[in-house]
Amino acid sequence: GAVVSQHPSWVICKSGTSVKIECRSLDFQATTMFWYRQFPKQSLMLMATSNEGSKATYEQGVEKDKFLINHASLTLSTLTVTSAHPEDSSFYICSARAGETEAFFGQGTRLTVV
Amino acid sequence: GQNIDQPTEMTATEGAIVQINCTYQTSGFNGLFWYQQHAGEAPTFLSYNVLDGLEEKGRFSSFLSRSKGYSYLLLKELQMKDSASYLCAVIDSNYQLIWGAGTKLIIKP
């Protein structure tokens, strides 16, 4: 299957700082990328959908000013958690798809805010 | 290396029962998820297992055996809308999510 690379896989940051997570499609052009958040033993929660070259569409309850998403190219989308707080500690996962094909997932990023 | 195996495709009849198997070899284990994904849509959560045994949720059940590195998703009273891909995913000791390639389930009338 297609490869989606997510980086970093693990990050620890201080409260109040910002963290950027990258999601790259390595062997296909991703017209759409999805960002998810997952708390332990809970379902995968879709945060936002981004299409290349346009603003991301955020799900209800997700603060767009706190979770900045940039999908500037067909192979790269970034999620920046701004002014991170301990409650933002979670597992963030991206997925990417080309057109209306199935989505392929990244490895996930575990964020711990201390 | 880390690996998750599940069948590529399965076919079943409406109203019947189907079991989708998943075997894994990962560095550590912090839980196993099953997701359903319809073509062109985001995946939806079905189940999470971290302890051995069977978890039942309506028509869907998921089983886990950590000693065998094995899980299955059981779908009962199949409906046409159950035609989708079913993804098995494991969180390893580093909290990385390791995904299976998915099983495409085709339901026939």
Side-chain angles (χ1 to χ4, degrees):
Chain A
V3 179
V4 175
S5 176
Q6 192 170 335
H7 177 80
S9 57
W10 185 291
V11 59
I12 300 174
C13 71
K14 291 185 177 180
S15 185
T17 62
S18 295
V19 175
K20 180 183 286 187
I21 302 169
E22 294 186 348
C23 180
R24 294 181 185 273
S25 56
L26 299 185
D27 55 359
F28 68 102
Q29 293 186 325
T31 52
T32 305
M33 286 192 174
F34 305 95
W35 285 96
Y36 301 85
R37 179 174 180 177
Q38 184 155 38
F39 295 98
K41 301 182 182 181
Q42 295 184 30
S43 63
L44 202 62
M45 184 190 80
L46 179 64
M47 298 174 66
T49 302
S50 71
N51 293 298
E52 185 267 338
S54 60
K55 290 184 179 180
T57 301
Y58 289 81
E59 296 299 304
Q60 191 174 9
V62 179
E63 299 175 62
K64 61 181 180 181
D65 294 330
K66 180 170 185 63
F67 298 99
L68 302 179
I69 293 173
N70 186 311
H71 190 170
S73 78
L74 285 171
T75 59
L76 174 65
S77 176
T78 60
L79 168 66
T80 301
V81 182
T82 62
S83 187
H85 291 283
E87 57 265 32
D88 298 324
S89 297
S90 188
F91 197 59
Y92 294 88
I93 307 164
C94 73
S95 70
R97 74 177 191 209
E100 294 301 311
T101 63
E102 63 183 311
F104 297 95
F105 288 84
Q107 307 96 314
T109 298
R110 179 169 177 78
L111 170 64
T112 301
V113 184
V114 297
Chain B
Q2 309 214 84
N3 192 53
I4 293 185
D5 289 312
Q6 51 182 128
T8 304
E9 186 175 296
M10 298 181 71
T11 302
T13 305
E14 189 177 15
I17 299 173
V18 71
Q19 178 175 311
I20 303 174
N21 296 323
C22 172
T23 58
Y24 62 90
Q25 295 107 26
T26 58
S27 56
F29 178 83
N30 277 301
L32 184 145
F33 299 89
W34 282 98
Y35 292 100
Q36 180 193 60
Q37 185 179 30
H38 287 98
E41 297 180 9
T44 55
F45 170 84
L46 290 178
S47 67
Y48 172 90
N49 294 70
V50 66
L51 299 176
D52 291 350
L54 186 68
E55 297 269 345
E56 294 184 88
K57 285 185 180 180
R59 294 191 298 116
F60 292 18
S61 301
S62 57
F63 171 84
L64 174 67
S65 169
R66 288 171 296 171
S67 62
K68 295 182 180 179
Y70 168 68
S71 173
Y72 68 72
L73 179 69
L74 190 71
L75 293 78
K76 302 176 184 177
E77 301 169 14
L78 287 170
Q79 302 174 10
M80 297 303 293
K81 67 178 182 179
D82 297 329
S83 292
S85 287
Y86 291 86
L87 303 162
C88 171
V90 172
I91 293 187
D92 70 7
S93 58
N94 292 319
Y95 288 91
Q96 283 203 7
L97 201 65
I98 314 299
W99 291 90
T103 299
K104 184 177 180 180
L105 178 62
I106 301 169
I107 310 296
K108 295 185 174 181

